[in-house]
Amino acid sequence: MTAAILMFVGTAGSVLPDVIGRYYGAAVSPDNIAVTALLLNIALIIFGWRRYSALHREIAHHKSAEEQAKTLAVTDPLTGCLNRRAIGEATASLIAQAARRDMTVAYLMLDLDNFKNINDIQGHDAGDKVLVEVARRLKGTMPPNSHVARLGGDEFACTFIFDADFPETVQRVAEDLIEQVSKPIAGPASNGDAELTVTASIGVARADLCDNSLDVLMRRADIAMYASKKHGRNRYCWFDPRMESEVQFRNKIESGMRIGIGRGEFVPFYEQQIDLATGTLIGFEVLARWNSPELGQIAPDIFIPIAEDTGMIGDLSACVIRQAMEDARGWDQSLTISVNISPVQLRDPWLAQKIVKLLVETGFPASRLEIEITESCLFENMGLAQSIIGSLKNQGVRVALDDFGTGYSSLAHLRALPFDRIKIDRSFVTSMNESKESRAIVQTIAMLGASMGLPITAEGIEDGDLIAHLTEIGCAKGQGFHFGQPLSVEQTRRLLADRNLLGLGWAQQQTSAQDEPVIMTEPQLRAARGE
Ligand code: C2E
Ligand code: MG
Ligand code: MG
């Protein structure tokens, strides 16, 4: 460009005197022409130079904007790691490089455990700080020839080349990552510099066992990461083909549940609760069962965690509680029902209103309802839990602390919330005969309850011989297989009819059923058939 300008200016300088001379004749002296040409030359040079620098600046500006756009397109703005799109391309290129060097690639999918709690409780500044620091530690821990990406939220991916004969290299890296992430992180000054702690669950897959297919590699690492979560978090798991069938089973359950909730396939079963001193039936714990047309009857241990993960728990719980209230409304008015509320439901600020709405719509008295919550609920958001429980208690609903002894068993929690009762976890009661420790724990919880004025329920009484001892140490109420397995609504009605506890309400319901046609739901039909 500069050369072109100079050439143009030089040519103009030599040709110009000739041209001017031809037009103005001898009146124009050669000296004047030379000066004019020189000035013109200088003007042209300056003009050319300025144009050139402007162009140069424009190009540089475009280039840097382009670079910036490129960087933004491949990086995560918060942490500076690669983003989801870029890690795919980077891993594909590592796989190609590894193949040339007779090596392979490890892909590690990493998800932070309980990160949501930090965001919810400590705020988003603290959450961002954790993400930035975790990213820094991951980058600092990875070996050469590696990439780190943030895929979104609290999900990261790390990938690197390793010698396929030495998978222990990958294990070491995964262990280092777990150790580094779990070290305390200084929180933001706005939170009083309180330290924050997170842990990571990692899933690992290797490209050579996935036919070097990028999609398969990433999916397998993801599946393995969920296995790490399932096996207790803060750990890593290699992908194992058996995990894939577990995922397929889980997907089948999940899609079956989506349809099943609407079809009324989730029904309440009733476990008797007994006054231990008199042996009188005082109520029932409501336990959800899924009558899946395809898979048979499914226990809550399988479907509750899936309902919690997928956000279906609110609808599922509402439909089971509504049915339980409708079933129990007409039973003897002395009989109570206890329903389980999941920790996920306690994150819903409208939970109390939803339960009260069910009470109003079914006409079930609040005084006959008890809700059971576990201690883990309280860690997530104590303020919200207090407000929900406060609202329910104002309506006359009672609240029990379920599975006490398995979690943190914190006195602070017992004092912070107005519980009406503590339920000792069944694992201690069932093992009382064999284990001195279990007996001691049950006794200690009973003493704790007595000192706080809280009645105690012992769950999991399988052996009738324990009843006298439990009564003696102060457990007023009990439940367990000794008194009977959880029953369907029809079995429960038969039991109540035998004991003359079916109540006037049931008789009235029967009479009204003869007066007007009632469209029965699928589960009611099944219950009526005694299935
Ligand atoms: P949980 O609330 O502790 O319920 C008691 C569990 O102990 C029930 O298991 C019951 O069948 C079992 N059980 C009762 N007596 C005995 C006994 O003597 N020995 C033994 N070994 N077990 C006994 P289930 O029905 O399988 O329920 C398991 C858990 O699922 C429940 O534990 C509860 O946490 C949850 N769950 C059940 N229904 C619901 C529901 O509607 N909503 C929510 N959020 N959770 C539910
Ligand atoms: Mg319970
Ligand atoms: Mg329990």
Side-chain angles (χ1 to χ4, degrees), residues 114-353:
N114 301 323
F115 176 72
K116 195 178 177 306
N117 285 354
I118 294 199
N119 252 350
D120 288 352
I121 299 167
Q122 317 271 350
H124 284 258
D125 279 355
D128 283 356
K129 213 160 175 214
V130 167
L131 294 173
V132 171
E133 180 56 20
V134 165
R136 195 187 67 76
R137 293 182 189 178
L138 298 183
K139 286 184 211 160
T141 310
M142 289 303 286
N145 245 338
S146 64
H147 297 287
V148 176
R150 178 172 167 236
L151 307 182
D154 58 353
E155 270 184 5
F156 291 85
C158 307
T159 180
F160 65 101
I161 294 183
F162 74 102
D163 185 336
D165 293 333
F166 295 99
E168 44 293 359
T169 328
V170 182
Q171 278 157 225
R172 258 197 312 277
V173 171
E175 279 160 9
D176 285 352
L177 291 176
I178 285 169
E179 193 195 327
Q180 288 305 320
V181 171
S182 67
K183 289 184 178 163
I185 297 172
S190 53
N191 284 19
D193 293 320
E195 277 188 345
L196 307 163
T197 315
V198 281
T199 54
S201 296
I202 300 179
V204 193
R206 43 191 284 180
D208 55 333
L209 301 184
C210 305
D211 293 332
N212 285 342
S213 154
L214 186 63
D215 285 349
V216 177
L217 179 70
M218 290 175 158
R219 189 166 47 85
R220 289 188 171 180
D222 205 37
I223 291 174
M225 188 273 289
Y226 277 105
S228 298
K229 293 253 181 216
K230 206 174 130 195
H231 290 115
R233 302 162 175 225
N234 192 24
R235 68 192 59 223
Y236 74 91
C237 275
W238 282 99
F239 170 80
D240 178 319
R242 273 169 302 184
M243 291 173 185
E244 203 137 32
S245 44
E246 264 176 49
V247 169
Q248 277 160 3
F249 178 68
R250 195 194 137 103
N251 288 344
K252 194 170 173 179
I253 298 258
E254 190 183 324
S255 49
M257 286 175 68
R258 284 193 195 283
I259 304 167
I261 292 175
R263 288 191 188 155
E265 289 169 11
F266 289 84
V267 295
F269 266 53
Y270 298 94
E271 181 176 329
Q272 299 174 56
Q273 294 181 320
I274 306 291
D275 177 327
L276 290 182
T278 61
T280 320
L281 173 68
I282 46 181
F284 297 93
E285 176 168 359
V286 175
L287 298 163
R289 296 288 181 269
W290 178 18
N291 291 324
S292 159
E294 203 187 337
L295 304 158
Q297 191 175 88
I298 308 215
D301 289 346
I302 294 182
F303 62 77
I304 295 283
I306 298 176
E308 288 174 339
D309 284 354
T310 53
M312 288 188 263
I313 187 72
D315 288 346
L316 190 157
S317 177
C319 99
V320 171
I321 296 176
R322 175 187 291 278
Q323 247 174 287
M325 286 175 175
E326 281 169 359
D327 290 343
R329 183 180 47 201
W331 299 345
D332 192 280
Q333 298 301 296
S334 66
L335 296 172
T336 57
I337 59 170
S338 303
V339 299
N340 291 285
I341 296 293
S342 131
V344 175
Q345 289 174 276
L346 269 204
R347 287 184 204 144
D348 175 4
W350 296 101
L351 179 67
Q353 285 82 343

Side-chain angles (χ1 to χ4, degrees), residues 285 372 402-403 423 425-426 459:
E285 176 168 359
E372 296 187 6
D402 201 3
D403 301 342
K423 296 185 74 176
D425 188 70
R426 64 176 186 269
E459 292 184 321

Side-chain angles (χ1 to χ4, degrees), residues 25-36:
V28 185
S29 80
D31 281 356
N32 283 349
I33 291 172
V35 171
T36 314

Side-chain angles (χ1 to χ4, degrees), residues 348-371:
D348 175 4
W350 296 101
L351 179 67
Q353 285 82 343
K354 287 178 183 171
I355 293 176
V356 172
K357 186 164 174 266
L358 287 174
L359 287 168
V360 172
E361 286 173 359
T362 59
F364 190 81
S367 58
R368 290 178 57 203
L369 177 68
E370 181 173 76
I371 63 159

Side-chain angles (χ1 to χ4, degrees), residues 46-66:
I46 293 171
F47 167 77
W49 179 250
R50 286 180 63 178
R51 180 80 195 107
Y52 165 74
S53 354
L55 265 175
H56 187 73
R57 269 201 307 277
E58 217 170 291
I59 290 168
H61 179 73
H62 271 294
K63 261 196 183 155
S64 98
E66 227 171 78

